[in-house]
Amino acid sequence: MGTWGITHWIILAVVVLVLFGGRGKISDLMGDVAKGIKSFKKGMADDEPTTAQQPVKTIDAQAGTTVNPTEQTKAG
């Protein structure tokens, strides 16, 4: 467990190649990730409906149909 096996060396070599393999590889990769995130956010914003909001409907009591709370308790 304390020694490095062949798989450890292969993984280390892959990591080193990815990090130092070429000039600007990491910055290009991060730029691609940022473009993907921006595209995703734009797509989510486009999915929202663009219809105008309808006004909230309220229920109004008709004139002459209101009940006095004291009369309601006497009747009920």
Side-chain angles (χ1 to χ4, degrees), residues 14-73:
V14 168
V15 170
V16 168
L17 286 174
V18 168
L19 290 177
F20 303 109
R23 180 178 168 196
K25 294 275 185 178
I26 298 298
S27 62
D28 290 342
L29 181 66
M30 290 295 111
D32 291 342
V33 170
K35 287 178 187 177
I37 291 171
K38 287 180 185 178
S39 175
F40 176 76
K41 287 182 179 180
K42 184 179 178 185
M44 291 300 290
D46 290 344
D47 287 345
E48 294 178 2
T50 56
T51 59
Q53 292 182 353
Q54 297 177 352
V56 177
K57 296 180 181 179
T58 58
I59 300 174
D60 296 327
Q62 295 178 358
T65 60
T66 57
V67 177
N68 189 350
T70 56
E71 291 177 7
Q72 188 177 14
T73 56

Side-chain angles (χ1 to χ4, degrees), residues 1-4 8:
M1 214 159 145
T3 62
W4 285 64
H8 293 103

